[in-house]
């Protein structure tokens, strides 16, 4: 599918194969794709995200880099007296939903002849881009904060990426990566709009798995917002195609320890300092797409919830009690559900996502369970 990079601030557009990672005005790019989802163009021979290749801009044919991502089960999990269908994204090839975005982005990179890439992340996005880069024969430099759990570091190194652990904040890590990217391609999952174009397939799958309907609400952990914005775009495509009457309410969940989106949503004026959190995967102090995320939440009449460290620990235990092993960041969604469900209508269809596998942070989880 074709498309162009567009800037929401200054309205300039660029071709998809530009090497720019941000608009010259400083804003992140989006991609306007038009109709998006057409049921008759779904490729029923595959259950990967490439089932929806007609809706993903850019890569085609031999340039598609796939490891079997997508097609995750939607399993009902008992919470309170409700049974909530939860998308099992921890079962992805690298253990997180980021594989949807990485498969789309790295396929685009391969198609553009890129041989070398740089990424910064708190762990899972880097692991994912490193895995797909390995599969595509692209060399990868990864910048992560020093405190990233050892399991995630080991995974990134196993894929052959060059790992740089930065002694500093998440934002300093990003700056170090961008400096290094001066000589190669900045494959940032939150700056590059193709990543979100891959993630949006989660909405198409949920629609198909619910039997051709959208949920009334979807509860999602949120840091940089690639999952929230991906789900939003996917459901928007379905609404544009008149397959669903309205968008599901988006309930974005943050950690109280680092909650810039919660504060923006509540229109708090002062910025708050942030503290370390068990949910390191969503500890993003300055999300670059904050405005877009808040706009998506408001348009769907959703909300932003902030949960405490105790609520995260409790959610993690409760999830393990049901037989699921997810990482603490992923447990924030369950903590969000525990807050959201009591105030919702009984008949409301609420869906959520397990975003990352527990095995990546097994020791950290052991610490929480013992504590
Ligand atoms: C990346 C990630 C998130 C949050 O995604 P954003 O795009 O940063 O909002 C949630 N859970 C896990 C396990 C992640 O890796
Ligand atoms: Zn611009």
């Amino acid at each position: 599918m074709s498309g162009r990079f567009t800037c929401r601030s200054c309205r300039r557009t660029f071709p998809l194969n530009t090497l720019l990672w941000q608009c010259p005005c400083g804003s992140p790019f989006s991609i306007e794709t038009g109709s998006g989802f057409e049921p008759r163009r779904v490729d029923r021979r595959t259950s990967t995200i490439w089932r929806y290749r007609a809706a993903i801009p850019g890569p085609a044919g031999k340039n598609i880099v796939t490891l079997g991502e997508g097609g995750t089960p939607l399993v009902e999990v008992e919470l309170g007296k409700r049974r909530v269908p939860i998308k099992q994204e921890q079962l992805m090839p690298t253990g997180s939903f980021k594989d949807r975005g990485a498969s789309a982005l790295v396929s685009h990179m391969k198609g553009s002849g890129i041989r070398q890439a740089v990424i910064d992340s708190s762990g899972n996005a880097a692991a994912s881009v490193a895995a797909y880069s390995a599969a595509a024969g692209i060399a990868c430099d990864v910048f992560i904060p020093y405190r990233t759990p050892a399991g995630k570091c080991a995974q990134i190194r196993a894929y052959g990426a060059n790992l740089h652990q930065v002694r500093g904040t998440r934002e300093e890590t990003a700056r170090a990566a961008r400096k290094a990217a001066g000589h190669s391609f900045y494959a940032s999952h939150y700056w590059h709009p193709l990543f979100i174009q891959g993630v949006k397939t989660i909405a198409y799958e949920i629609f198909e798995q619910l039997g051709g309907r959208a949920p009334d609400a979807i509860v999602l952990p949120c840091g940089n917002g690639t999952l929230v914005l991906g789900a939003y775009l996917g459901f928007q495509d379905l609404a544009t195609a008149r397959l669903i009457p309205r968008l599901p309410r988006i309930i974005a969940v943050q950690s109280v320890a680092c909650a810039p989106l919660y504060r923006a949503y509540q229109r708090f004026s002062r910025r708050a300092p942030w503290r370390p959190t068990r949910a390191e995967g969503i500890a993003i102090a300055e999300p670059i797409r904050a405005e877009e995320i808040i706009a998506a939440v408001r348009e769907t009449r959703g909300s932003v919830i902030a949960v405490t460290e105790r609520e995260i620990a409790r959610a993690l235990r409760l999830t393990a009690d049901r037989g699921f092993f997810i990482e603490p960041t992923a447990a924030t969604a369950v903590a969000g559900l525990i807050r959201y469900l009591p105030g919702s209508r009984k008949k409301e269809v609420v869906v959520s996502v397990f975003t990352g596998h527990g095995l990546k942070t097994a020791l950290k989880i052991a610490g929480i369970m013992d504590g």
Side-chain angles (χ1 to χ4, degrees):
M1 178 172 176
S2 63
R4 281 177 76 82
F5 278 17
T6 60
C7 174
R8 283 164 50 96
S9 308
C10 73
R11 292 270 135 212
R12 283 178 75 176
T13 77
F14 295 87
L16 276 193
N17 62 2
T18 176
L19 289 179
L20 290 174
W21 53 269
Q22 68 176 162
C23 181
C25 83
S27 304
F29 286 124
S30 309
I31 300 177
E32 272 162 27
T33 55
S35 68
F37 188 89
E38 293 175 70
R40 63 179 178 83
R41 299 190 67 191
V42 172
D43 182 354
R44 291 174 206 284
R45 293 167 305 177
T46 171
S47 59
T48 71
I49 66 164
W50 300 100
R51 178 180 178 81
Y52 312 107
R53 76 180 66 189
I56 300 173
K62 63 181 184 356
N63 290 320
I64 286 176
V65 185
T66 177
L67 296 170
E69 62 294 321
T72 54
L74 187 66
V75 178
E76 286 192 354
V77 180
E78 198 185 316
L79 287 173
K81 291 206 171 56
R82 303 271 281 269
R83 299 183 68 81
V84 180
I86 301 188
K87 199 71 173 134
Q88 307 289 309
E89 297 284 291
Q90 82 279 23
L91 303 180
M92 287 279 195
T94 79
S96 86
F97 79 91
K98 302 276 190 336
D99 290 353
R100 292 181 188 275
S103 180
L105 176 56
V106 174
S107 298
H108 164 74
M109 284 156 53
K110 189 176 175 205
S112 309
I114 285 156
R115 306 301 310 270
Q116 225 187 339
V118 175
I119 182 171
D120 56 272
S121 116
S122 53
N124 287 340
S128 196
V129 170
Y132 285 83
S133 294
I138 295 171
C140 204
D141 276 273
V142 167
F143 290 77
I144 55 171
Y146 211 75
R147 288 209 221 196
T148 304
K152 293 185 182 178
C153 298
Q155 187 185 14
I156 292 165
R157 289 188 19 217
Y159 294 130
N162 208 347
L163 188 67
H164 309 269
Q165 286 182 274
V166 179
R167 275 191 193 278
T169 63
R170 180 69 185 77
E171 277 61 40
E172 283 159 343
T173 308
R175 272 195 287 281
R178 287 201 293 272
K179 213 166 144 198
H183 308 285
S184 66
F185 182 76
Y186 185 39
S188 170
H189 61 295
Y190 50 99
W191 281 100
H192 205 295
L194 255 181
F195 191 90
I196 297 172
Q197 290 290 324
V199 173
K200 77 179 180 183
T201 56
I202 196 170
Y204 302 162
E205 285 182 20
I206 292 170
F207 168 78
E208 289 199 293
Q209 287 170 317
L210 289 178
R213 59 170 297 184
D216 298 306
I218 184 162
V219 178
L220 303 169
C222 189
N224 275 310
T226 66
L227 181 57
V228 160
L229 291 172
Y232 170 73
L233 275 188
F235 286 116
Q236 215 180 29
D237 282 349
L238 294 164
T240 303
R242 296 182 184 280
L243 293 164
I244 59 173
R246 75 189 77 80
L247 302 180
R249 270 192 282 288
I250 294 177
I251 315 298
V253 188
Q254 294 221 284
S255 151
V256 164
C258 183
L261 297 167
Y262 173 73
R263 299 182 62 82
Y265 176 75
Q266 297 286 353
R267 304 185 204 275
F268 291 157
S269 52
R270 246 174 355 105
R271 274 215 266 171
W274 65 275
R275 290 166 276 124
T277 166
R278 287 174 169 140
E280 86 278 350
I282 50 170
I284 310 294
E286 297 168 28
I288 58 149
R289 295 183 187 271
E291 271 178 40
E292 255 177 279
I293 297 166
I294 301 295
V297 166
R298 291 203 201 284
E299 184 193 332
T300 63
R301 295 171 300 115
S303 62
V304 184
I305 296 177
V307 297
T308 64
E309 296 300 299
R310 265 174 94 163
E311 288 177 278
I312 296 170
R314 181 168 163 245
L316 194 63
R317 286 197 194 94
L318 188 142
T319 316
D321 282 346
R322 309 274 186 280
F324 300 94
F325 195 50
I326 59 175
E327 65 172 279
T329 302
T332 57
V334 178
L337 280 168
I338 293 170
R339 285 262 203 105
Y340 179 77
L341 289 174
S344 67
R345 285 171 292 112
K346 274 224 171 55
K347 285 226 181 115
E348 194 172 319
V349 179
V350 183
V351 166
S352 188
V353 175
F354 285 162
T355 49
H357 206 291
L359 288 174
K360 286 171 174 265
T361 60
L363 291 178
K364 189 170 174 177
I365 293 173
I368 296 171
M369 297 292 187
D370 295 341

